[in-house]
Structure formats: structure tokens, C-alpha cells
Amino acid sequence: MSTTARTVLFHEIGGPEVLKIEDVTVPAPGPGQVAVRVEALGLNRAEALFRSGTYYYQAALPASRLGYEAAGVVEAIGEGVTELAVGDPVTTGPGIEMSAQGVYAERIVLPESAVLARPASVDAVTGAASWLTYTTAYGGLLETAGLRPGDHVLITGASSGVGTAAIQVARRIGAIPLVTTRTEAKRQGLLEAGAAEVIVSGGDAETVAKEVRRLTGGRGAEVIFDAIGGPGFRPLAEALAEGGTVLVYGWLDRSPAEIPWNWPFTIHTYANMTLTATPGGRRRSTAFLNAGLADGGFRPVVAEVFDGLDRIRDAHRLMESNRHTGKIVVRI
């Protein structure tokens, strides 16, 4: 039996003002599907890019949906669903195509593979702020870059949701997070999130590299976890220890980037869906995340919680302002 749910849609590319709230029919879950009553949404930079037409795939218009991350409760399951039951607390994330399956809504129906168990002790706001950030940090730092206890890791753009999660992932395994931010305003928040040292860069990659060398006694960082790219990529890599690894997971600066000259080192690019699209990757990343949430080792940094789906435009405006540290959450 189908019902309706208030759902965020957009019919044209543009700023936060294009987001509309409309009643959309929600069908009963079919085979292999799960129906979820949404309690909170976690916003990601990808959604602002998708809405504005600059993401790596384009929205199907009109009536495109939006959103990857939600936390809620299972309301119904379809035939063949075995890992989840009605009443289970869950989060969403892997394998979602936003135009058709975006989660900005009061109720959603998704494939079982896109819905993950959430520890009962973890509230919806925390759950909505966690999945994409911590699994990206886990997959990039541990599975791809091979970060080890005692390593120094330089985290750029550290005030983002992924950046603050990466600080905590590094701390959890005994690595040492050195982080960058453009202005002094976010220093204290990053120290409270667990950063060992905060480098206020002013956007100058050469300054960052020199400071990392100083902080590591001239050796450099074993791993650079970079969200920016662009012309600063080559001078930034001067902060890398010989034989180290650069992991690029975002291109906030889309200008051309030069390959660094300080060989030998390894460059990896990372996209989270390559890990979470596989059953094994989902199992490992979810187990790592849920263990940290359940024992309190992971405490997602939440910049602001907006109450009600009607605040979605305000939440997107804050995200585009870049004034915040950590995740933005909308509570339904």
C-alpha cells in the first residue's frame, strides 16, 4: 500500500532557492527493498554541486531528488530482505543515484544494499552526520593510503565533515593528524576535534609544506589526505616524506594541478563508491564506523542542526557559505 511523503525536489539547476518541497507518492517496498521513516538528514558538498549542475553526473530534470545520507527507522521490508527488520535504526548512503533515490524526504524506499544498520545507542542526528564522512576517511586513509600507527598525516580542508572525521580516524589508529585551515577562526574547533597541530594556511601551500617539515623534524608527513587539488597540489607535496603517499579525494580547486617533483612517492585518487559498492567494502567500512560510534571514539562534529524539512534551503545556504566546521544536519 502506497502513501505520500513531503519530499525535496528541484526542477531546474541553480542555488538553494530552486529546492521545493512537494508531496510524492511512496510505494510499498518491492523485493529487496526497504522502506525507511526518515528522522534526520546529513548534508554533503556533493549535494550542492549536484543541485548547481557541477557534480560528476547530472541531475535528471524536472523533479530531481537530492541527498545521500539519512538516519531513520525501518517501516517495512520487501520480499527477500534478510539483514534488516521493521523497527531497526538505520542510516543510508551506498549506491544511491540522487535523481531517482535522493533521501531528502520524510519517507523513502531504497534497495537493501543502500540501507545500513545503526547502533541502537546512536541517535538519528549523530547517525546522519556519520556515514559518508567516516567511511570516506576509513577507505581513503586506511584501505588505500595505508596509514599506520605513528605516521603523520596532513589533512587539508580539515574543517569539512570528511576532514573532521579523518582527524578522529587517524587518532583511533594512533596516527598523528596535522591539519590545515585557511583562517584563524576555525583553529580551536579543529583542536577540539583532535588535531595534533593546526596550520593556518591563508591558502599558501608552500607555507603549509614548510610548517609540516618543521613539525616533523624535517622528515615530512607519511600521508597527505587532500581535498583541494589545483595549483597548490605540487608545492603542498613538498610536505611529504620520502616514499610517502598522497591521497586525493576531492578537487575543491578545479584549476589544473601539476604532478609534484619530489619523487619517490605514490599518488592515489579515491572515490568512496569504489569501496562501498562492494559487499565486502560495505561490511568493513560499516563495522569500523559502528564500532567507533558505539564506544564513543567517533564523535561527529555537527556545525548546526536545522529543525524541519522546510529549513533545507537555509541549510544549503550555510553549506555554501563555508563558515561552518563539520556536518550540517536537518532534523525531520
Side-chain angles (χ1 to χ4, degrees):
M1 180 176 179
S2 63
T3 185
T4 61
R6 298 178 77 230
T7 302
V8 175
L9 302 175
F10 61 103
H11 304 284
E12 60 183 319
I13 295 302
E17 70 279 357
V18 304
L19 300 178
K20 312 296 182 184
I21 299 173
E22 302 179 20
D23 288 331
V24 172
T25 298
V26 183
Q33 293 184 325
V34 178
V36 177
R37 175 174 53 81
V38 176
E39 297 176 322
L41 305 170
L43 274 61
N44 295 285
R45 182 71 55 180
E47 290 137 33
L49 298 174
F50 190 65
R51 185 207 69 227
S52 61
T54 55
Y55 199 41
Y56 78 92
Y57 66 92
Q58 294 297 302
L61 300 173
S64 176
R65 300 176 68 114
L66 189 61
Y68 281 126
E69 279 186 288
V73 176
V74 174
E75 284 197 318
I77 58 173
E79 181 182 354
V81 172
T82 58
E83 299 298 320
L84 297 167
V86 172
D88 283 354
V90 292
T91 57
T92 70
I96 289 173
E97 193 286 314
M98 284 195 283
S99 281
Q101 300 171 318
V103 301
Y104 286 12
E106 295 174 332
R107 285 177 168 79
I108 53 177
V109 174
L110 291 171
E112 182 181 16
S113 60
V115 183
L116 306 164
R118 168 168 52 97
S121 61
V122 176
D123 65 88
V125 168
T126 300
S130 299
W131 182 80
L132 188 60
T133 55
Y134 284 95
T135 58
T136 298
Y138 163 80
L141 288 175
L142 303 190
E143 294 222 357
T144 307
L147 186 69
R148 299 167 297 185
D151 284 352
H152 287 85
V153 54
L154 174 63
I155 301 167
T156 67
S159 62
S160 69
V162 174
T164 53
I167 292 169
Q168 294 178 24
V169 168
R171 284 291 194 188
R172 189 168 182 86
I173 70 158
I176 304 159
L178 312 176
V179 312
T180 74
T181 183
R182 294 179 68 89
T183 68
E184 190 70 33
K186 296 180 179 180
R187 177 193 291 274
Q188 187 57 39
L190 291 169
L191 290 171
E192 291 171 1
E197 299 283 351
V198 177
I199 303 167
V200 178
S201 69
D204 184 351
E206 292 184 2
T207 296
V208 172
K210 289 176 183 177
E211 185 65 4
V212 170
R213 288 284 178 181
R214 184 186 71 80
L215 292 169
T216 58
R219 188 178 70 255
E222 282 75 20
V223 174
I224 297 176
F225 189 61
D226 184 41
I228 300 171
F233 185 61
R234 183 183 61 76
L236 181 72
E238 295 296 328
L240 193 65
E242 182 176 341
T245 298
V246 180
L247 190 290
V248 182
Y249 75 93
W251 295 102
L252 293 178
D253 187 336
R254 293 177 175 241
S255 304
E258 294 182 2
I259 293 178
W261 300 339
N262 52 321
W263 300 346
F265 65 92
T266 301
I267 298 178
H268 288 286
T269 56
Y270 179 77
N272 202 42
M273 72 283 293
T274 61
L275 174 70
T276 58
T278 66
R282 285 193 298 276
R283 174 179 52 80
R284 295 191 303 275
S285 59
T286 302
F288 185 79
L289 166 62
N290 284 348
L293 291 175
D295 67 19
F298 292 158
R299 303 173 306 283
V301 177
V302 176
E304 189 165 344
V305 178
F306 291 85
D307 280 314
L309 203 57
D310 293 310
R311 299 294 309 280
I312 194 68
R313 298 179 198 89
D314 294 331
H316 268 244
R317 290 185 185 104
L318 175 59
M319 181 162 57
E320 292 196 332
S321 76
N322 293 319
R323 297 192 313 267
H324 62 290
T325 296
K327 290 280 282 195
I328 299 166
V329 174
V330 175
R331 185 162 42 205
I332 305 299

